[in-house]
Amino acid sequence: MSEIVKEVLDEVINKIIQDMPENPPNEMDDEKAKKKLKNERRRLYYNKNIVKEREKSKSYYHRNKERFSTKNECPCGGRYTSVNKNIHYGTRGHLNWVRWTSCNIELQK
Ligand SMILES: [Zn+2]
């Protein structure tokens, strides 16, 4: 690892330690601080092993390529991939279908 990267990492770690409260006022803040530290550690690990991590995510994509690209049929008549499922649920066409079906259910009562 180059000296510059080491310096930057040390700086980031020092900043995290400085930002962490010595006596957290309550449990919630303690949990938040722990989560923040965990995220920072994860990010540092990722940046240290960036080449390896990128290879890992590439191979994960290739292993699951078929699953990511298969289209699912929605009862509204639309189609979506698993990656775009939540985006589809927010589209005007899908929301109109939801409104329409809920109106029909209310009329049937
Ligand atoms: Zn839909």
Side-chain angles (χ1 to χ4, degrees), residues 53-81:
E53 291 295 311
R54 278 188 182 157
E55 283 303 315
K56 248 195 212 171
S57 60
K58 261 185 204 170
S59 80
Y60 177 78
Y61 174 76
H62 282 290
R63 271 185 280 129
N64 296 285
K65 204 175 179 180
E66 208 171 289
R67 185 165 63 86
F68 290 147
S69 57
T70 44
K71 295 252 181 178
N72 301 301
E73 298 282 338
C74 184
C76 76
R79 297 171 83 205
Y80 58 84
T81 58

PDB file of all heavy atoms in Angstrom, residues 53-81:
ATOM      1  N   GLU A  53     -12.784  -6.663  -4.282  1.00  0.00           N
ATOM      2  CA  GLU A  53     -14.226  -6.465  -4.071  1.00  0.00           C
ATOM      3  C   GLU A  53     -14.962  -6.263  -5.391  1.00  0.00           C
ATOM      4  O   GLU A  53     -16.064  -6.761  -5.566  1.00  0.00           O
ATOM      5  CB  GLU A  53     -14.476  -5.265  -3.154  1.00  0.00           C
ATOM      6  CG  GLU A  53     -14.053  -5.485  -1.729  1.00  0.00           C
ATOM      7  CD  GLU A  53     -14.856  -6.568  -1.034  1.00  0.00           C
ATOM      8  OE1 GLU A  53     -16.088  -6.538  -1.099  1.00  0.00           O
ATOM      9  OE2 GLU A  53     -14.233  -7.463  -0.443  1.00  0.00           O
ATOM     10  N   ARG A  54     -14.333  -5.536  -6.319  1.00  0.00           N
ATOM     11  CA  ARG A  54     -14.967  -5.315  -7.621  1.00  0.00           C
ATOM     12  C   ARG A  54     -15.089  -6.623  -8.375  1.00  0.00           C
ATOM     13  O   ARG A  54     -16.109  -6.885  -9.013  1.00  0.00           O
ATOM     14  CB  ARG A  54     -14.178  -4.297  -8.434  1.00  0.00           C
ATOM     15  CG  ARG A  54     -14.543  -2.893  -8.034  1.00  0.00           C
ATOM     16  CD  ARG A  54     -13.925  -1.875  -8.948  1.00  0.00           C
ATOM     17  NE  ARG A  54     -14.273  -0.535  -8.492  1.00  0.00           N
ATOM     18  CZ  ARG A  54     -13.581   0.543  -8.778  1.00  0.00           C
ATOM     19  NH1 ARG A  54     -12.495   0.455  -9.497  1.00  0.00           N
ATOM     20  NH2 ARG A  54     -13.972   1.723  -8.329  1.00  0.00           N
ATOM     21  N   GLU A  55     -14.033  -7.451  -8.291  1.00  0.00           N
ATOM     22  CA  GLU A  55     -14.080  -8.760  -8.947  1.00  0.00           C
ATOM     23  C   GLU A  55     -15.213  -9.597  -8.369  1.00  0.00           C
ATOM     24  O   GLU A  55     -15.951 -10.261  -9.087  1.00  0.00           O
ATOM     25  CB  GLU A  55     -12.737  -9.494  -8.783  1.00  0.00           C
ATOM     26  CG  GLU A  55     -11.651  -8.991  -9.695  1.00  0.00           C
ATOM     27  CD  GLU A  55     -12.014  -9.062 -11.170  1.00  0.00           C
ATOM     28  OE1 GLU A  55     -12.544 -10.102 -11.602  1.00  0.00           O
ATOM     29  OE2 GLU A  55     -11.786  -8.066 -11.876  1.00  0.00           O
ATOM     30  N   LYS A  56     -15.332  -9.528  -7.024  1.00  0.00           N
ATOM     31  CA  LYS A  56     -16.380 -10.286  -6.338  1.00  0.00           C
ATOM     32  C   LYS A  56     -17.756  -9.882  -6.835  1.00  0.00           C
ATOM     33  O   LYS A  56     -18.581 -10.737  -7.144  1.00  0.00           O
ATOM     34  CB  LYS A  56     -16.312  -9.985  -4.835  1.00  0.00           C
ATOM     35  CG  LYS A  56     -15.888 -11.122  -3.965  1.00  0.00           C
ATOM     36  CD  LYS A  56     -16.258 -10.724  -2.564  1.00  0.00           C
ATOM     37  CE  LYS A  56     -15.372 -11.234  -1.512  1.00  0.00           C
ATOM     38  NZ  LYS A  56     -15.670 -10.649  -0.203  1.00  0.00           N
ATOM     39  N   SER A  57     -17.994  -8.553  -6.905  1.00  0.00           N
ATOM     40  CA  SER A  57     -19.334  -8.121  -7.307  1.00  0.00           C
ATOM     41  C   SER A  57     -19.592  -8.420  -8.773  1.00  0.00           C
ATOM     42  O   SER A  57     -20.717  -8.731  -9.147  1.00  0.00           O
ATOM     43  CB  SER A  57     -19.563  -6.645  -6.987  1.00  0.00           C
ATOM     44  OG  SER A  57     -18.637  -5.857  -7.660  1.00  0.00           O
ATOM     45  N   LYS A  58     -18.525  -8.368  -9.593  1.00  0.00           N
ATOM     46  CA  LYS A  58     -18.689  -8.730 -11.006  1.00  0.00           C
ATOM     47  C   LYS A  58     -19.085 -10.195 -11.125  1.00  0.00           C
ATOM     48  O   LYS A  58     -20.003 -10.542 -11.877  1.00  0.00           O
ATOM     49  CB  LYS A  58     -17.368  -8.512 -11.763  1.00  0.00           C
ATOM     50  CG  LYS A  58     -17.316  -7.213 -12.516  1.00  0.00           C
ATOM     51  CD  LYS A  58     -16.041  -7.153 -13.327  1.00  0.00           C
ATOM     52  CE  LYS A  58     -15.670  -5.725 -13.612  1.00  0.00           C
ATOM     53  NZ  LYS A  58     -14.315  -5.624 -14.188  1.00  0.00           N
ATOM     54  N   SER A  59     -18.388 -11.069 -10.390  1.00  0.00           N
ATOM     55  CA  SER A  59     -18.694 -12.497 -10.498  1.00  0.00           C
ATOM     56  C   SER A  59     -20.077 -12.781  -9.928  1.00  0.00           C
ATOM     57  O   SER A  59     -20.806 -13.627 -10.451  1.00  0.00           O
ATOM     58  CB  SER A  59     -17.617 -13.346  -9.822  1.00  0.00           C
ATOM     59  OG  SER A  59     -17.805 -13.369  -8.445  1.00  0.00           O
ATOM     60  N   TYR A  60     -20.492 -12.046  -8.885  1.00  0.00           N
ATOM     61  CA  TYR A  60     -21.848 -12.206  -8.336  1.00  0.00           C
ATOM     62  C   TYR A  60     -22.872 -11.849  -9.403  1.00  0.00           C
ATOM     63  O   TYR A  60     -23.856 -12.564  -9.598  1.00  0.00           O
ATOM     64  CB  TYR A  60     -22.038 -11.314  -7.112  1.00  0.00           C
ATOM     65  CG  TYR A  60     -23.430 -11.376  -6.538  1.00  0.00           C
ATOM     66  CD1 TYR A  60     -23.825 -12.455  -5.756  1.00  0.00           C
ATOM     67  CD2 TYR A  60     -24.354 -10.370  -6.793  1.00  0.00           C
ATOM     68  CE1 TYR A  60     -25.110 -12.525  -5.255  1.00  0.00           C
ATOM     69  CE2 TYR A  60     -25.628 -10.435  -6.295  1.00  0.00           C
ATOM     70  CZ  TYR A  60     -26.006 -11.512  -5.520  1.00  0.00           C
ATOM     71  OH  TYR A  60     -27.277 -11.584  -5.027  1.00  0.00           O
ATOM     72  N   TYR A  61     -22.600 -10.748 -10.133  1.00  0.00           N
ATOM     73  CA  TYR A  61     -23.521 -10.339 -11.195  1.00  0.00           C
ATOM     74  C   TYR A  61     -23.605 -11.414 -12.264  1.00  0.00           C
ATOM     75  O   TYR A  61     -24.705 -11.788 -12.702  1.00  0.00           O
ATOM     76  CB  TYR A  61     -23.089  -9.006 -11.809  1.00  0.00           C
ATOM     77  CG  TYR A  61     -23.931  -8.625 -12.988  1.00  0.00           C
ATOM     78  CD1 TYR A  61     -25.217  -8.130 -12.810  1.00  0.00           C
ATOM     79  CD2 TYR A  61     -23.471  -8.800 -14.297  1.00  0.00           C
ATOM     80  CE1 TYR A  61     -26.019  -7.807 -13.879  1.00  0.00           C
ATOM     81  CE2 TYR A  61     -24.266  -8.479 -15.377  1.00  0.00           C
ATOM     82  CZ  TYR A  61     -25.536  -7.980 -15.165  1.00  0.00           C
ATOM     83  OH  TYR A  61     -26.321  -7.683 -16.238  1.00  0.00           O
ATOM     84  N   HIS A  62     -22.447 -11.955 -12.687  1.00  0.00           N
ATOM     85  CA  HIS A  62     -22.468 -12.946 -13.752  1.00  0.00           C
ATOM     86  C   HIS A  62     -23.144 -14.234 -13.323  1.00  0.00           C
ATOM     87  O   HIS A  62     -23.845 -14.864 -14.109  1.00  0.00           O
ATOM     88  CB  HIS A  62     -21.050 -13.210 -14.274  1.00  0.00           C
ATOM     89  CG  HIS A  62     -20.592 -12.125 -15.193  1.00  0.00           C
ATOM     90  ND1 HIS A  62     -21.124 -11.942 -16.447  1.00  0.00           N
ATOM     91  CD2 HIS A  62     -19.696 -11.123 -15.017  1.00  0.00           C
ATOM     92  CE1 HIS A  62     -20.569 -10.889 -17.017  1.00  0.00           C
ATOM     93  NE2 HIS A  62     -19.690 -10.370 -16.166  1.00  0.00           N
ATOM     94  N   ARG A  63     -22.973 -14.600 -12.036  1.00  0.00           N
ATOM     95  CA  ARG A  63     -23.622 -15.824 -11.545  1.00  0.00           C
ATOM     96  C   ARG A  63     -25.146 -15.659 -11.524  1.00  0.00           C
ATOM     97  O   ARG A  63     -25.875 -16.623 -11.712  1.00  0.00           O
ATOM     98  CB  ARG A  63     -23.107 -16.161 -10.145  1.00  0.00           C
ATOM     99  CG  ARG A  63     -21.871 -17.051 -10.171  1.00  0.00           C
ATOM    100  CD  ARG A  63     -21.470 -17.442  -8.776  1.00  0.00           C
ATOM    101  NE  ARG A  63     -20.737 -16.350  -8.144  1.00  0.00           N
ATOM    102  CZ  ARG A  63     -21.028 -15.849  -6.939  1.00  0.00           C
ATOM    103  NH1 ARG A  63     -22.015 -16.343  -6.233  1.00  0.00           N
ATOM    104  NH2 ARG A  63     -20.319 -14.858  -6.443  1.00  0.00           N
ATOM    105  N   ASN A  64     -25.605 -14.421 -11.242  1.00  0.00           N
ATOM    106  CA  ASN A  64     -27.045 -14.195 -11.096  1.00  0.00           C
ATOM    107  C   ASN A  64     -27.649 -13.395 -12.242  1.00  0.00           C
ATOM    108  O   ASN A  64     -28.744 -12.861 -12.123  1.00  0.00           O
ATOM    109  CB  ASN A  64     -27.319 -13.472  -9.779  1.00  0.00           C
ATOM    110  CG  ASN A  64     -26.925 -14.314  -8.602  1.00  0.00           C
ATOM    111  OD1 ASN A  64     -27.607 -15.251  -8.251  1.00  0.00           O
ATOM    112  ND2 ASN A  64     -25.772 -13.999  -8.027  1.00  0.00           N
ATOM    113  N   LYS A  65     -26.900 -13.329 -13.362  1.00  0.00           N
ATOM    114  CA  LYS A  65     -27.315 -12.515 -14.500  1.00  0.00           C
ATOM    115  C   LYS A  65     -28.725 -12.881 -14.966  1.00  0.00           C
ATOM    116  O   LYS A  65     -29.545 -12.004 -15.226  1.00  0.00           O
ATOM    117  CB  LYS A  65     -26.329 -12.735 -15.644  1.00  0.00           C
ATOM    118  CG  LYS A  65     -26.267 -11.598 -16.618  1.00  0.00           C
ATOM    119  CD  LYS A  65     -25.183 -11.875 -17.638  1.00  0.00           C
ATOM    120  CE  LYS A  65     -25.107 -10.761 -18.659  1.00  0.00           C
ATOM    121  NZ  LYS A  65     -24.072 -11.013 -19.654  1.00  0.00           N
ATOM    122  N   GLU A  66     -28.980 -14.188 -15.046  1.00  0.00           N
ATOM    123  CA  GLU A  66     -30.273 -14.657 -15.542  1.00  0.00           C
ATOM    124  C   GLU A  66     -31.416 -14.170 -14.646  1.00  0.00           C
ATOM    125  O   GLU A  66     -32.432 -13.685 -15.124  1.00  0.00           O
ATOM    126  CB  GLU A  66     -30.269 -16.178 -15.590  1.00  0.00           C
ATOM    127  CG  GLU A  66     -31.188 -16.743 -16.652  1.00  0.00           C
ATOM    128  CD  GLU A  66     -31.001 -18.225 -16.807  1.00  0.00           C
ATOM    129  OE1 GLU A  66     -29.938 -18.628 -17.329  1.00  0.00           O
ATOM    130  OE2 GLU A  66     -31.891 -18.974 -16.379  1.00  0.00           O
ATOM    131  N   ARG A  67     -31.215 -14.297 -13.342  1.00  0.00           N
ATOM    132  CA  ARG A  67     -32.239 -13.879 -12.383  1.00  0.00           C
ATOM    133  C   ARG A  67     -32.492 -12.370 -12.481  1.00  0.00           C
ATOM    134  O   ARG A  67     -33.624 -11.911 -12.396  1.00  0.00           O
ATOM    135  CB  ARG A  67     -31.790 -14.242 -10.960  1.00  0.00           C
ATOM    136  CG  ARG A  67     -32.817 -13.959  -9.889  1.00  0.00           C
ATOM    137  CD  ARG A  67     -32.462 -14.660  -8.601  1.00  0.00           C
ATOM    138  NE  ARG A  67     -31.203 -14.216  -8.023  1.00  0.00           N
ATOM    139  CZ  ARG A  67     -31.076 -13.167  -7.215  1.00  0.00           C
ATOM    140  NH1 ARG A  67     -32.129 -12.464  -6.881  1.00  0.00           N
ATOM    141  NH2 ARG A  67     -29.901 -12.837  -6.717  1.00  0.00           N
ATOM    142  N   PHE A  68     -31.403 -11.600 -12.674  1.00  0.00           N
ATOM    143  CA  PHE A  68     -31.548 -10.136 -12.745  1.00  0.00           C
ATOM    144  C   PHE A  68     -32.281  -9.707 -14.011  1.00  0.00           C
ATOM    145  O   PHE A  68     -32.945  -8.687 -14.024  1.00  0.00           O
ATOM    146  CB  PHE A  68     -30.180  -9.450 -12.705  1.00  0.00           C
ATOM    147  CG  PHE A  68     -29.490  -9.538 -11.375  1.00  0.00           C
ATOM    148  CD1 PHE A  68     -28.106  -9.620 -11.306  1.00  0.00           C
ATOM    149  CD2 PHE A  68     -30.219  -9.514 -10.193  1.00  0.00           C
ATOM    150  CE1 PHE A  68     -27.457  -9.690 -10.081  1.00  0.00           C
ATOM    151  CE2 PHE A  68     -29.587  -9.584  -8.974  1.00  0.00           C
ATOM    152  CZ  PHE A  68     -28.199  -9.683  -8.918  1.00  0.00           C
ATOM    153  N   SER A  69     -32.115 -10.498 -15.107  1.00  0.00           N
ATOM    154  CA  SER A  69     -32.664 -10.022 -16.381  1.00  0.00           C
ATOM    155  C   SER A  69     -34.009 -10.647 -16.738  1.00  0.00           C
ATOM    156  O   SER A  69     -34.603 -10.246 -17.735  1.00  0.00           O
ATOM    157  CB  SER A  69     -31.653 -10.242 -17.495  1.00  0.00           C
ATOM    158  OG  SER A  69     -31.309 -11.592 -17.553  1.00  0.00           O
ATOM    159  N   THR A  70     -34.506 -11.616 -15.942  1.00  0.00           N
ATOM    160  CA  THR A  70     -35.814 -12.192 -16.282  1.00  0.00           C
ATOM    161  C   THR A  70     -36.912 -11.203 -15.911  1.00  0.00           C
ATOM    162  O   THR A  70     -36.865 -10.558 -14.876  1.00  0.00           O
ATOM    163  CB  THR A  70     -36.090 -13.523 -15.549  1.00  0.00           C
ATOM    164  OG1 THR A  70     -35.692 -13.386 -14.205  1.00  0.00           O
ATOM    165  CG2 THR A  70     -35.397 -14.679 -16.205  1.00  0.00           C
ATOM    166  N   LYS A  71     -37.881 -11.115 -16.829  1.00  0.00           N
ATOM    167  CA  LYS A  71     -39.005 -10.187 -16.621  1.00  0.00           C
ATOM    168  C   LYS A  71     -40.126 -10.905 -15.879  1.00  0.00           C
ATOM    169  O   LYS A  71     -40.449 -12.046 -16.188  1.00  0.00           O
ATOM    170  CB  LYS A  71     -39.516  -9.704 -17.978  1.00  0.00           C
ATOM    171  CG  LYS A  71     -38.498  -8.868 -18.720  1.00  0.00           C
ATOM    172  CD  LYS A  71     -38.890  -7.432 -18.728  1.00  0.00           C
ATOM    173  CE  LYS A  71     -37.879  -6.604 -19.491  1.00  0.00           C
ATOM    174  NZ  LYS A  71     -38.237  -5.216 -19.578  1.00  0.00           N
ATOM    175  N   ASN A  72     -40.700 -10.217 -14.890  1.00  0.00           N
ATOM    176  CA  ASN A  72     -41.832 -10.766 -14.147  1.00  0.00           C
ATOM    177  C   ASN A  72     -43.099 -10.072 -14.611  1.00  0.00           C
ATOM    178  O   ASN A  72     -43.095  -8.879 -14.889  1.00  0.00           O
ATOM    179  CB  ASN A  72     -41.638 -10.519 -12.651  1.00  0.00           C
ATOM    180  CG  ASN A  72     -40.361 -11.139 -12.141  1.00  0.00           C
ATOM    181  OD1 ASN A  72     -40.170 -12.337 -12.240  1.00  0.00           O
ATOM    182  ND2 ASN A  72     -39.463 -10.309 -11.619  1.00  0.00           N
ATOM    183  N   GLU A  73     -44.185 -10.852 -14.675  1.00  0.00           N
ATOM    184  CA  GLU A  73     -45.476 -10.278 -15.059  1.00  0.00           C
ATOM    185  C   GLU A  73     -46.146  -9.697 -13.811  1.00  0.00           C
ATOM    186  O   GLU A  73     -46.169 -10.322 -12.764  1.00  0.00           O
ATOM    187  CB  GLU A  73     -46.377 -11.382 -15.637  1.00  0.00           C
ATOM    188  CG  GLU A  73     -45.844 -12.028 -16.892  1.00  0.00           C
ATOM    189  CD  GLU A  73     -46.060 -11.187 -18.138  1.00  0.00           C
ATOM    190  OE1 GLU A  73     -46.959 -10.329 -18.117  1.00  0.00           O
ATOM    191  OE2 GLU A  73     -45.316 -11.398 -19.115  1.00  0.00           O
ATOM    192  N   CYS A  74     -46.687  -8.499 -13.958  1.00  0.00           N
ATOM    193  CA  CYS A  74     -47.407  -7.872 -12.850  1.00  0.00           C
ATOM    194  C   CYS A  74     -48.902  -7.990 -13.139  1.00  0.00           C
ATOM    195  O   CYS A  74     -49.302  -7.918 -14.294  1.00  0.00           O
ATOM    196  CB  CYS A  74     -46.982  -6.419 -12.751  1.00  0.00           C
ATOM    197  SG  CYS A  74     -47.691  -5.568 -11.357  1.00  0.00           S
ATOM    198  N   PRO A  75     -49.729  -8.153 -12.114  1.00  0.00           N
ATOM    199  CA  PRO A  75     -51.178  -8.221 -12.367  1.00  0.00           C
ATOM    200  C   PRO A  75     -51.739  -6.961 -13.034  1.00  0.00           C
ATOM    201  O   PRO A  75     -52.814  -7.017 -13.619  1.00  0.00           O
ATOM    202  CB  PRO A  75     -51.782  -8.425 -10.975  1.00  0.00           C
ATOM    203  CG  PRO A  75     -50.680  -8.386 -10.019  1.00  0.00           C
ATOM    204  CD  PRO A  75     -49.387  -8.438 -10.735  1.00  0.00           C
ATOM    205  N   CYS A  76     -51.006  -5.854 -12.981  1.00  0.00           N
ATOM    206  CA  CYS A  76     -51.490  -4.631 -13.631  1.00  0.00           C
ATOM    207  C   CYS A  76     -51.299  -4.687 -15.144  1.00  0.00           C
ATOM    208  O   CYS A  76     -51.798  -3.830 -15.864  1.00  0.00           O
ATOM    209  CB  CYS A  76     -50.785  -3.404 -13.064  1.00  0.00           C
ATOM    210  SG  CYS A  76     -49.106  -3.169 -13.643  1.00  0.00           S
ATOM    211  N   GLY A  77     -50.586  -5.687 -15.616  1.00  0.00           N
ATOM    212  CA  GLY A  77     -50.339  -5.807 -17.048  1.00  0.00           C
ATOM    213  C   GLY A  77     -48.934  -5.392 -17.429  1.00  0.00           C
ATOM    214  O   GLY A  77     -48.519  -5.587 -18.566  1.00  0.00           O
ATOM    215  N   GLY A  78     -48.194  -4.842 -16.484  1.00  0.00           N
ATOM    216  CA  GLY A  78     -46.827  -4.410 -16.757  1.00  0.00           C
ATOM    217  C   GLY A  78     -45.837  -5.547 -16.538  1.00  0.00           C
ATOM    218  O   GLY A  78     -46.205  -6.630 -16.092  1.00  0.00           O
ATOM    219  N   ARG A  79     -44.595  -5.277 -16.885  1.00  0.00           N
ATOM    220  CA  ARG A  79     -43.524  -6.249 -16.666  1.00  0.00           C
ATOM    221  C   ARG A  79     -42.361  -5.528 -16.004  1.00  0.00           C
ATOM    222  O   ARG A  79     -42.121  -4.354 -16.264  1.00  0.00           O
ATOM    223  CB  ARG A  79     -43.078  -6.856 -17.993  1.00  0.00           C
ATOM    224  CG  ARG A  79     -44.178  -7.632 -18.680  1.00  0.00           C
ATOM    225  CD  ARG A  79     -43.752  -8.024 -20.071  1.00  0.00           C
ATOM    226  NE  ARG A  79     -42.943  -9.236 -20.017  1.00  0.00           N
ATOM    227  CZ  ARG A  79     -42.043  -9.577 -20.937  1.00  0.00           C
ATOM    228  NH1 ARG A  79     -41.835  -8.796 -21.963  1.00  0.00           N
ATOM    229  NH2 ARG A  79     -41.355 -10.685 -20.827  1.00  0.00           N
ATOM    230  N   TYR A  80     -41.670  -6.263 -15.131  1.00  0.00           N
ATOM    231  CA  TYR A  80     -40.526  -5.665 -14.448  1.00  0.00           C
ATOM    232  C   TYR A  80     -39.473  -6.722 -14.164  1.00  0.00           C
ATOM    233  O   TYR A  80     -39.800  -7.897 -14.030  1.00  0.00           O
ATOM    234  CB  TYR A  80     -40.954  -4.995 -13.147  1.00  0.00           C
ATOM    235  CG  TYR A  80     -41.647  -5.925 -12.179  1.00  0.00           C
ATOM    236  CD1 TYR A  80     -40.900  -6.737 -11.321  1.00  0.00           C
ATOM    237  CD2 TYR A  80     -43.023  -6.013 -12.146  1.00  0.00           C
ATOM    238  CE1 TYR A  80     -41.528  -7.608 -10.463  1.00  0.00           C
ATOM    239  CE2 TYR A  80     -43.664  -6.890 -11.282  1.00  0.00           C
ATOM    240  CZ  TYR A  80     -42.912  -7.679 -10.445  1.00  0.00           C
ATOM    241  OH  TYR A  80     -43.534  -8.546  -9.603  1.00  0.00           O
ATOM    242  N   THR A  81     -38.199  -6.263 -14.070  1.00  0.00           N
ATOM    243  CA  THR A  81     -37.125  -7.153 -13.619  1.00  0.00           C
ATOM    244  C   THR A  81     -37.054  -7.033 -12.099  1.00  0.00           C
ATOM    245  O   THR A  81     -37.573  -6.071 -11.531  1.00  0.00           O
ATOM    246  CB  THR A  81     -35.771  -6.746 -14.227  1.00  0.00           C
ATOM    247  OG1 THR A  81     -35.502  -5.408 -13.851  1.00  0.00           O
ATOM    248  CG2 THR A  81     -35.765  -6.865 -15.728  1.00  0.00           C
TER     249      THR A  81
END
